[in-house]
Amino acid sequence: MTSGNVAFDEPVAAHYEAWYETPEGQRADELEKAILSRLLQGFSGSGSVLEIGCGTGHFTHWLADQERLVVGLDFSPAMLAQAQALDGVLLVRGDARWLPFADGAFDLTAFITTLEFLERPREVLVEALRVARHGVLLGVLNRWSVLGLQRRLAGLFNQTIYDAAHFYGVGELKRLLRSVAGGKAHIVWHTTLFSHGWPCSQARLPWAGFIGMTLVVSDGFREVG
Ligand SMILES: C[S@@+](CC[C@H](N)C(=O)[O-])C[C@H]1O[C@@H](n2cnc3c(N)ncnc32)[C@H](O)[C@@H]1O
């Protein structure tokens, strides 16, 4: 199965983690996790998380380190082969459009740099909300950032995983979530400051490199300052 024109196949999977080893990748990783962590802390008692599009398990393992019970789901066997099932982490092969779980099976569902690659994002978010008791956590690269522009240009001029990706800005992401949750939508978001590499990880800038956003559908959320 492919996501766009370039599949998450073995060559892509084999090199996927290497970016996180670069200075830019390490910095981005640190900032992104700071934002996701702040949003996660807002959900009191949210113990279980389904990470949809878990890939090589980079964030799946980090979520488990936050003392969450985590299931990682991905449709690419090559990406999953790079991921490891550890204590507190279960890996499942499946399609985000038809999650093999009961209604409300998890406290949260999460998409971390995955929404951009989904062919039917609205349909997938409806399904993600079905299996989540408290809400959905999103981490996306910002369409209107330098990094987003670089990725979009790379997708236009090279055959990369970005060639069929759709990058979102804050406004489009909010509209998408509202269209999924309707009147129930309580949306909280944070960004990195400017682009990756900038020393501050907590801001609310529409042109920042990375957006963390949650759709909250239960009462158990409080903003963490
Ligand atoms: C860019 S990777 C992100 C992986 C991981 N979340 C991370 O940030 O390192 C996107 C992942 O989404 C997966 N994916 C795309 N469409 C999917 C679908 N419909 N169902 C399940 N996984 C999907 C791909 O196989 C890929 O592993």
Side-chain angles (χ1 to χ4, degrees):
M1 251 187 287
T2 66
S3 178
N5 298 332
V6 175
F8 284 93
D9 56 11
E10 273 173 35
V12 168
H15 294 105
Y16 189 83
E17 282 290 318
W19 185 75
Y20 288 112
E21 306 299 324
T22 65
E24 186 196 6
Q26 283 177 15
R27 187 72 192 130
D29 192 41
E30 193 183 311
L31 298 180
E32 291 170 9
K33 284 174 178 167
I35 287 171
L36 296 172
S37 176
R38 179 173 174 176
L39 290 168
L40 273 171
Q41 282 168 31
F43 289 97
S44 58
S46 291
S48 60
V49 184
L50 172 66
E51 193 204 346
I52 300 169
C54 65
T56 53
H58 186 85
F59 288 96
T60 328
H61 296 144
W62 173 77
L63 285 165
D65 290 343
Q66 315 297 300
E67 299 184 1
R68 313 259 160 182
L69 186 66
V70 188
V71 176
L73 176 137
D74 205 287
F75 70 11
S76 160
M79 293 293 271
L80 280 176
Q82 298 286 327
Q84 278 180 301
L86 303 171
D87 275 357
V89 176
L90 191 72
L91 299 170
V92 175
R93 184 167 179 227
D95 192 317
R97 283 178 289 170
W98 302 284
L99 297 173
F101 303 105
D103 295 1
F106 297 89
D107 290 315
L108 295 178
T109 46
F111 298 85
I112 304 172
T113 58
T114 289
L115 193 76
E116 299 92 317
F117 299 91
L118 297 174
E119 287 172 4
R120 293 186 177 83
R122 194 176 178 284
E123 195 181 311
V124 168
L125 283 167
V126 168
E127 179 67 350
L129 207 52
R130 179 185 68 76
V131 303
R133 277 188 290 275
H134 299 310
V136 179
L137 172 71
L138 300 175
V140 303
L141 298 179
N142 189 352
R143 177 178 188 81
W144 304 115
S145 66
V146 173
L147 186 78
L149 188 64
Q150 284 169 353
R151 296 286 195 261
R152 280 155 63 198
L153 289 173
L156 278 181
F157 294 112
N158 305 300
Q159 282 283 297
T160 71
I161 57 170
Y162 303 111
D163 72 343
H166 175 85
F167 291 95
Y168 294 83
V170 171
E172 188 182 1
L173 213 48
K174 282 182 172 177
R175 283 192 294 280
L176 179 63
L177 292 183
R178 283 201 191 102
S179 79
V180 169
K184 287 187 292 182
H186 172 45
I187 293 167
V188 183
W189 62 283
H190 297 285
T191 65
T192 47
L193 185 55
F194 295 132
S195 197
H196 287 109
W198 199 262
C200 175
S201 65
Q202 307 289 326
R204 256 188 207 139
L205 296 171
W207 57 87
F210 183 81
I211 307 165
M213 193 175 277
T214 50
L215 171 63
V216 185
V217 293
S218 74
D219 293 336
F221 185 88
R222 70 183 162 82
E223 274 252 36
V224 175

